[in-house]
Amino acid sequence: MQQLDIESIRRDFPILDREIYNRPLVYLDNAATSQTPRCVVDAIDRMYCHTKANVHRGVHTLSQEATDLQEAARERVRAFINAASTQEIIFTRGTTEAINLVASSMGDLLENGDEIILTAMEHHANIVPWQLLRRRKRILIRVVPVDATGQLDMEAYRSLFNERTRLVSVCHVSNVLGTVNPVKEMIAYAHSLEVPVVVDGAQAISHLKVDVRDLDADFYAFSSHKMYGPSGVGVLYGKKYWLDMIPPYQGGGEMISHVSFEHTTWAELPFKFEAGTPDFVGIAAFRTAIDYMESIGIERIAAHEHDLLEYTTSRMMEIPGMRIFGTAPGKAAVISFLLGNEHHYDTGLLLDKLGIAVRTGHHCAQPLMHALGVEGTVRASFAVYNTREEADRFIDALRRVAAMLGL
Ligand SMILES: *Cc1c(COP(=O)(O)O)cnc(C)c1O
């Protein structure tokens, strides 16, 4: 595999020229959002300056062009995840809205006493929507535990199924531990018992090749802003079988075929699930972000991030008092850690003063923090534009913080 020209890639990202407290920014908060290349910003600019019109409604040229851009983006997403049809690609505001859609609409098929399976490493976006459903229907939520390395207990997973199990929802990659869950195996097992599976792909989509048909996922959710695209756009992939079966999530324009006060019929897929005016500018620019990622190649991005992960982790282990959470083999490029007993927030603040952007806190995964026995962690996460030199600056900064703390 050809080495990446990281310096040339870095020039595509204007924000990387920023300085923080007179030091060059080292951006290691990519699991929260990744930065956006110039070509994506240009696509947004171009749309606002040349092609802005509402989609699917107008006969006029601009509306046609805007519609074509949106539908070209849908086809781009379809090909990117190898879905069977663009009817299975629903644009949402993000992963959170995508999972809320499934919980609400699939939830309609559930009955009191039915059970669903989640895992202990879920993001709040894959916990709270199901709890909202639990207020509508008295469902039981069962939780797969996580072991000390940050991997799911697969035996426990299989033992949680019974005749009332109706659904599984699991993250492909943990945003805290970096663990890549064996979702293909989990889906195969659930399907052997005729249980559909929802996959939260927010952390997987920019780090590994996702093929929804190979995984045989029933639903797969992700966000553009974590894959070098604009904010405010996400995708719910759903098998046509289920999307035909479940009711719409929101009502409004776009999602109907015919409306009268007596009876309203739904539009064809995927529009049945796209009420109101979508973020058509963001969606058009999202296509450019996918083109950008593919021009580099997801395998090469993953290999580069993996190199940074290995290098940084091994150097971090030499720092006194370092505690790393999540050591599963083959994990994604996310490092959660604590320095001694120092509060995550203080470590993050000191790192910021040294120009290094990391995330601190519970990372929207409070149940996982509880399982780890901590209140929060510091999290460094990598993207394609990070370098070994930045990793060195991060390590030097950590050493300074550790020294300040007398570790
Ligand atoms: C970021 C993230 C989400 C939520 O994504 P939004 O873009 O905020 O909707 C859900 N799950 C995981 C694993 C995430 O990392």
Side-chain angles (χ1 to χ4, degrees):
M1 202 153 40
Q2 203 195 327
Q3 278 279 304
L4 291 180
D5 181 355
I6 302 294
E7 280 317 308
S8 137
I9 288 172
R10 288 180 69 81
R11 283 194 292 278
D12 295 336
F13 292 82
I15 207 168
L16 298 179
D17 291 338
R18 271 208 64 174
E19 298 203 332
I20 306 290
Y21 297 109
N22 298 317
R23 293 163 193 271
L25 165 69
V26 176
Y27 186 77
L28 299 179
D29 193 17
N30 295 288
T33 199
S34 53
Q35 297 299 345
T36 308
R38 170 72 69 192
C39 60
V40 173
V41 179
D42 286 347
I44 295 169
D45 188 69
R46 213 163 39 241
M47 185 106 184
Y48 275 116
C49 295
H50 295 277
T51 327
K52 189 177 176 208
N54 208 333
V55 287
H56 293 304
R57 292 197 184 101
V59 295
H60 62 82
T61 303
L62 285 188
S63 176
Q64 277 305 324
E65 287 178 8
T67 303
D68 289 349
L69 282 170
Q70 170 162 304
E71 295 313 308
R74 200 186 304 275
E75 166 54 25
R76 196 73 192 79
V77 171
R78 184 209 64 74
F80 188 62
I81 61 172
N82 193 31
S85 155
T86 50
Q87 289 196 309
E88 299 179 318
I89 306 297
I90 297 160
F91 287 118
T92 66
R93 284 194 300 124
T95 306
T96 302
E97 190 179 52
I99 298 174
N100 273 279
L101 189 165
V102 182
S104 173
S105 295
M106 278 298 271
D108 244 54
L109 308 184
L110 268 52
E111 288 171 13
N112 290 346
D114 282 347
E115 302 189 4
I116 68 164
I117 297 175
L118 306 178
T119 86
M121 63 169 84
E122 296 312 313
H123 188 284
H124 295 165
N126 196 24
I127 300 174
V128 185
W130 305 107
Q131 292 174 326
L132 291 176
L133 173 62
R134 189 169 61 185
R135 288 158 52 129
R136 274 204 288 140
K137 307 263 176 107
R138 284 197 306 282
I139 59 162
L140 188 74
I141 298 175
R142 295 188 181 269
V143 181
V144 186
V146 178
D147 72 15
T149 64
Q151 295 180 87
L152 293 177
D153 179 340
M154 288 296 282
E155 207 165 304
Y157 169 66
R158 285 184 286 269
S159 75
L160 291 181
F161 284 83
N162 61 42
E163 66 285 349
R164 297 307 305 262
T165 308
R166 292 290 174 268
L167 194 108
V168 173
S169 193
V170 57
C171 60
H172 197 167
V173 172
S174 160
N175 67 314
V176 175
L177 305 164
T179 310
V180 181
N181 288 320
V183 288
K184 188 172 174 180
E185 185 187 332
M186 294 173 81
I187 290 168
Y189 186 77
H191 284 177
S192 73
L193 301 169
E194 290 175 20
V195 174
V197 180
V198 183
V199 182
D200 170 355
Q203 290 297 333
I205 194 77
S206 59
H207 305 289
L208 32 121
K209 180 76 201 129
V210 170
D211 180 329
V212 291
R213 271 190 286 179
D214 178 55
L215 292 175
D216 204 18
D218 297 282
F219 294 94
Y220 198 98
F222 52 98
S223 300
S224 149
H225 71 95
K226 290 181 179 175
M227 44 194 299
Y228 311 103
S231 60
V233 178
V235 171
L236 175 67
Y237 159 79
K239 278 188 188 162
K240 186 171 182 308
Y241 173 81
W242 289 114
L243 295 178
D244 278 333
M245 185 105 79
I246 63 181
Y249 175 48
Q250 295 179 324
E254 286 291 331
M255 53 75 70
I256 50 82
S257 165
H258 175 79
V259 177
S260 74
F261 280 104
E262 289 71 38
H263 186 66
T264 291
T265 52
W266 317 137
E268 289 290 298
L269 289 176
F271 307 111
K272 170 182 162 186
F273 291 100
E274 294 182 351
T277 301
D279 183 352
F280 52 83
V281 174
I283 290 168
F286 179 34
R287 172 184 168 208
T288 308
I290 296 177
D291 286 342
Y292 182 81
M293 277 181 74
E294 291 221 310
S295 74
I296 300 172
I298 189 100
E299 284 86 4
R300 291 163 81 202
I301 295 174
H304 173 66
E305 290 171 349
H306 187 72
D307 172 71
L308 288 173
L309 174 72
E310 300 268 287
Y311 176 74
T312 312
T313 304
S314 70
R315 291 210 55 200
M316 281 172 79
M317 308 269 254
E318 295 161 5
I319 298 172
M322 180 59 67
R323 297 156 66 196
I324 292 180
F325 301 90
T327 52
K331 68 181 264 198
V334 169
I335 311 174
S336 277
F337 65 96
L338 286 172
L339 264 178
N341 292 320
E342 192 59 17
H343 197 274
H344 49 85
Y345 182 78
D346 297 332
T347 306
L349 209 61
L350 290 167
L351 289 172
D352 181 55
K353 295 273 186 292
L354 297 167
I356 292 162
V358 292
R359 181 133 303 229
T360 67
H362 54 64
H363 314 294
C364 299
Q366 282 179 347
L368 176 60
M369 294 297 124
H370 182 75
L372 295 172
V374 297
E375 249 180 65
T377 67
V378 188
R379 181 185 71 188
S381 50
F382 298 101
V384 65
Y385 40 68
N386 290 124
T387 63
R388 277 200 179 209
E389 195 186 323
E390 288 183 313
D392 287 337
R393 289 195 41 217
F394 172 55
I395 298 292
D396 290 346
L398 282 176
R399 286 192 178 283
R400 281 181 65 173
V401 175
M404 264 193 266
L405 300 173
L407 292 170

